Amino acid sequence: MKLNIAFMILLFSSAALFAQEVPLPAKPKQKTKAADTVGTKNPEATKITANQALDGLISWDKKLKTLQADFTQTTDFEGTPISSSEGRIYKQDNNIRLDTFEEGLLAQSAVTDKKRIKIKDGQGALITTMAWDDWQEGQTNKALFDFGNYGKVVKEHKLKSFACDGQFYKLVLVPLKEGPESYELSFKLNTEDFFIEEISLENQGVRTKTTLKNVKKNIKFKESILK
């Protein structure tokens, strides 16, 4: 039976898992160029450096205790749509639940404590269960069914570009060592608190983009949701 769970949120190739750690990019000494603030909704936001945006991204590792968010995920090849899905994620520490919807109805759920993972149908009936490590090993591009670990991600990549349009900060990261499996990992952060609005992975013309909405951070929800 094919499992239709949309595996998000961080996506990158297995090469990144073996990259060595390096310091964060040095803070630029020069101020943001005036041209960078033209046409922005919030000119003050453009004064933030790439290093400060990275620090803001990483800081959520410690601050984020619980998360509830809706998401949409699309995949295209050189601009031609391949697939799309929508769902909702719940997270509390290592306990994660990911629901996927079809035409507004719950189609499937995955629940894990990062020891074992259970896949259920839309009515809550168990489809299969397996060891977390075995399940994750079989995922394309070593997809991480998670939300966090940004400190490790940043250390395993180098900054390619940084931009701000006054509404979002956009960080584009690439592997420390370029190679045949090279890719670009992009984060779009809001300018209020550096929380992620969008994550995308582009690899050999294939781009997968996950957009979060209706985000609720550090709230209480029923523990039964994660079982």
Side-chain angles (χ1 to χ4, degrees), residues 17-149:
L17 301 178
F18 303 101
Q20 60 184 2
E21 296 185 359
V22 296
L24 292 174
K27 294 182 179 180
K29 296 181 180 180
Q30 297 181 346
K31 294 183 178 180
T32 304
K33 296 180 180 179
D36 293 338
T37 66
V38 176
T40 62
K41 296 183 179 180
N42 180 11
E44 287 295 314
T46 62
K47 296 180 180 179
I48 296 295
T49 66
N51 208 65
Q52 289 172 315
L54 283 167
D55 286 344
L57 172 65
I58 294 170
S59 70
W60 278 109
D61 279 345
K62 296 180 179 179
K63 292 191 294 184
L64 189 64
K65 304 302 181 183
T66 66
L67 172 73
Q68 177 182 319
D70 297 331
F71 70 87
T72 57
Q73 188 174 75
T74 60
T75 299
D76 65 73
F77 176 68
E78 297 182 348
T80 301
I82 296 176
S83 64
S84 64
S85 61
E86 61 180 21
R88 179 173 298 155
I89 184 172
Y90 301 88
K91 175 179 169 64
Q92 183 175 39
D93 300 320
N94 283 338
N95 297 296
I96 304 169
R97 171 174 172 157
L98 186 67
D99 294 338
T100 53
F101 297 89
E102 293 180 359
E103 298 182 352
L105 299 177
L106 180 63
Q108 204 167 87
S109 298
V111 181
T112 183
D113 58 2
K114 290 192 176 179
K115 294 179 181 178
R116 297 195 65 79
I117 183 169
K118 296 184 291 185
I119 310 297
K120 302 178 180 181
D121 65 18
Q123 287 70 48
L126 184 66
I127 297 176
T128 187
T129 182
M130 65 189 78
W132 166 258
D133 290 341
D134 291 342
W135 173 85
Q136 194 178 42
E137 184 64 28
Q139 299 311 306
T140 304
N141 291 322
K142 296 294 182 183
L144 298 187
F145 181 66
D146 203 346
F147 197 92
N149 299 319

Side-chain angles (χ1 to χ4, degrees), residues 7 11 73-76 141 199-203 206-210:
F7 298 113
L11 301 170
Q73 188 174 75
T74 60
T75 299
D76 65 73
N141 291 322
I199 301 171
S200 66
L201 171 76
E202 187 165 354
N203 185 1
V206 178
R207 183 180 68 161
T208 298
K209 179 176 70 174
T210 302

